[in-house]
Amino acid sequence: MSTTREQPIFSTRAHVFQIDPATKRNWIPASKHALTVSYFYDATRNVYRIISVGGTKAIINSTITPNMTFTKTSQKFGQWADSRANTVYGLGFASEQHLSQFAEKFQEVKEAARLAREKSQDKTELTNPALNITSHQVLPSPIISSNGPGEDKLFRSQSADVEITTEKERLKKMLSEGSVSEVQWEAEFFSLQDNNNKLVAALHEANANVDQWKKQLAAYQEETETLRQRVAELELQGAHDSSSENNKEELSQTLEELELLIKAKDEEIQMLKSQKCGRWEAEGEREETLQKLQARNAELERRLHLAEQTLAETLAEREKIQNEVTKVAEIMDVKIFELSEIRQGLAKLVENN
């Protein structure tokens, strides 16, 4: 298929209509969906055409002439009459801007067609001055004898002219039919090429999205594994805290026993004081015992203070760990929900592909 002779110079999308040939009032839609409507320029014949193809059928094949007029009948609708096709075409656009662009291009092409016709007429007049003869003028016939070789030459010349004219008409008809078919195939080719480019772009975008989702999924899986490890560490730390609590209970029991022992010693001291003993040995022993008990009491108080401090720190650390476990559990719930959404998106994308 040759595309060097006739090329598209402007394209847009619109709903195509044709006037009802019976009523000449109602519009008949040419297709269910919007079609590509293009201006084509034939550099060989210096001709401009509006072409729109629906499937394998040429919906519009209108050659633009200087006497055509494109009329805007509303903000998004315009029409023009084609006397050669014996119909009126109507186009419905998606916006007023598209209608204005098409109308401006129609005016440009119409002016270019007028200039091309004037130029062609001037060239024809220069190359064929015999066309300037008016219809009432009669060309003089050459003087030829009725007998002899001149009559045979005249017959041959007229027969050759008739054959040349017939051949020219046949060639013109073949070129015209071939041009229509060629433009239809060209329009279909450009439409398929445009659709193919859109599909390729959509495929590239889908592949890029899939790669991005895979990377995001891998990152989420890695983060989830890290959170699981952190939860395991916190659980181990919680178990260790439980053992610390057991130690605290043992210390509390030991303190109670020491307090009972102190109380017993105090009672023993009181009993010794109540006894009447004037011996210095007993007094010295009492003093020594009292000092030991005081030292023991101080040690017990120190241990009790340390135990209480350890208990407070343990309780604070346990509360902190519980808060971290709750926070990690919430984060894991969010990540699991995001992973499920990403898997659903990947499944839909794979199903669409």
Side-chain angles (χ1 to χ4, degrees), residues 241-353:
D241 292 337
S242 298
S243 62
S244 299
E245 188 174 355
N246 294 330
N247 293 332
K248 175 185 72 66
E249 292 178 355
E250 293 178 358
L251 288 174
S252 299
Q253 186 176 1
T254 304
L255 287 174
E256 291 177 357
E257 294 176 355
L258 290 174
E259 288 176 354
L260 292 174
L261 180 61
I262 290 172
K263 185 177 180 180
K265 292 296 182 182
D266 288 337
E267 292 177 353
E268 184 179 356
I269 289 171
Q270 293 296 330
M271 185 183 65
L272 290 173
K273 284 183 179 180
S274 63
Q275 290 179 358
K276 293 180 178 180
C277 181
R279 290 178 298 180
W280 291 100
E281 292 84 4
E283 184 69 21
E285 185 180 355
R286 185 183 67 82
E287 292 294 334
E288 184 180 359
T289 303
L290 182 61
Q291 290 179 358
K292 290 181 179 180
L293 288 174
Q294 289 177 350
R296 183 66 174 174
N297 190 19
E299 178 66 16
L300 290 174
E301 288 180 354
R302 185 182 67 81
R303 292 178 64 182
L304 178 61
H305 179 70
L306 289 176
E308 290 177 350
Q309 185 177 1
T310 303
L311 177 62
E313 291 177 355
T314 303
L315 291 175
E317 183 66 17
R318 182 180 181 182
E319 183 178 0
K320 181 179 178 181
I321 290 172
Q322 289 178 350
N323 293 332
E324 289 182 359
V325 170
T326 303
K327 185 176 179 181
V328 170
E330 292 176 353
I331 294 175
M332 286 187 67
D333 291 340
V334 173
K335 295 300 180 181
I336 291 171
F337 179 75
E338 291 179 353
L339 283 172
S340 65
E341 288 186 346
I342 291 174
R343 288 174 180 172
Q344 291 178 1
L346 288 174
K348 291 181 179 179
L349 182 61
V350 171
E351 182 179 356
N352 293 333
N353 288 338

Side-chain angles (χ1 to χ4, degrees), residues 12 18 37 85 91 95 103 106 131 199 210 245 254 258 279 297 327 331 344:
T12 187
Q18 288 187 10
V37 182
L91 297 178
S95 65
F106 192 97
L131 295 176
L199 290 174
V210 169
E245 188 174 355
T254 304
L258 290 174
R279 290 178 298 180
N297 190 19
K327 185 176 179 181
I331 294 175
Q344 291 178 1

Side-chain angles (χ1 to χ4, degrees), residues 23-275:
T23 62
K24 298 293 184 181
R25 293 182 181 179
N26 301 326
W27 289 107
I28 300 176
S31 65
K32 296 181 180 179
H33 307 286
L35 300 175
T36 300
V37 182
S38 304
Y39 286 90
F40 278 82
Y41 173 63
D42 189 345
T44 304
R45 296 187 298 164
N46 205 8
V47 173
Y48 294 88
R49 291 196 292 172
I50 299 176
I51 294 174
S52 179
V53 177
T56 59
K57 179 182 178 182
I59 305 299
I60 300 177
N61 185 10
S62 178
T63 302
I64 301 176
T65 60
N67 58 348
M68 285 185 176
T69 301
F70 184 82
T71 305
K72 297 180 182 179
T73 57
S74 67
Q75 292 183 350
K76 299 181 182 180
F77 194 86
Q79 65 183 47
W80 79 96
D82 189 345
S83 59
R84 295 184 179 181
N86 192 24
T87 188
V88 179
Y89 294 105
L91 297 178
F93 295 90
S95 65
E96 186 176 358
Q97 181 182 2
H98 289 88
L99 173 61
S100 300
Q101 292 176 353
F102 188 88
E104 292 173 359
K105 198 65 181 179
F106 192 97
Q107 190 64 28
E108 293 177 7
V109 171
K110 174 183 173 181
E111 183 65 19
R114 185 185 65 79
L115 295 175
R117 174 176 289 186
E118 292 178 355
K119 183 177 179 181
S120 177
Q121 289 177 352
D122 294 340
K123 184 177 179 180
T124 303
E125 290 175 357
L126 291 174
T127 56
N128 193 5
L131 295 176
N132 296 327
I133 302 174
T134 58
S135 58
H136 63 272
Q137 290 177 328
V138 180
L139 294 175
S141 300
I143 301 174
I144 303 174
S145 61
S146 57
N147 298 321
E151 184 176 358
D152 184 54
K153 291 181 180 179
L154 177 60
F155 176 77
R156 292 178 184 175
S157 177
Q158 291 177 347
S159 178
D161 290 340
V162 171
E163 290 179 359
I164 291 173
T165 303
T166 305
E167 185 67 19
K168 285 183 178 179
E169 292 297 331
R170 188 176 67 83
L171 289 175
K172 286 182 180 179
K173 184 178 181 181
M174 291 176 60
L175 288 174
S176 177
E177 294 176 354
S179 177
V180 172
S181 178
E182 181 181 352
V183 169
Q184 292 176 0
W185 284 108
E186 287 177 358
E188 185 178 0
F189 171 75
F190 286 121
S191 177
L192 292 175
Q193 190 176 27
D194 184 40
N195 293 334
N196 184 60
N197 292 335
K198 291 180 181 179
L199 290 174
V200 170
L203 182 60
H204 287 323
E205 184 179 0
N207 290 333
N209 291 334
V210 169
D211 293 337
Q212 183 178 0
W213 288 341
K214 286 181 178 179
K215 292 179 181 179
Q216 189 175 4
L217 179 61
Y220 283 160
Q221 289 176 346
E222 183 178 358
E223 187 174 359
T224 302
E225 187 65 26
T226 303
L227 291 173
R228 287 177 179 174
Q229 293 177 0
R230 177 60 177 167
V231 169
E233 293 176 359
L234 291 175
E235 289 177 350
L236 291 175
Q237 191 172 1
H240 180 69
D241 292 337
S242 298
S243 62
S244 299
E245 188 174 355
N246 294 330
N247 293 332
K248 175 185 72 66
E249 292 178 355
E250 293 178 358
L251 288 174
S252 299
Q253 186 176 1
T254 304
L255 287 174
E256 291 177 357
E257 294 176 355
L258 290 174
E259 288 176 354
L260 292 174
L261 180 61
I262 290 172
K263 185 177 180 180
K265 292 296 182 182
D266 288 337
E267 292 177 353
E268 184 179 356
I269 289 171
Q270 293 296 330
M271 185 183 65
L272 290 173
K273 284 183 179 180
S274 63
Q275 290 179 358

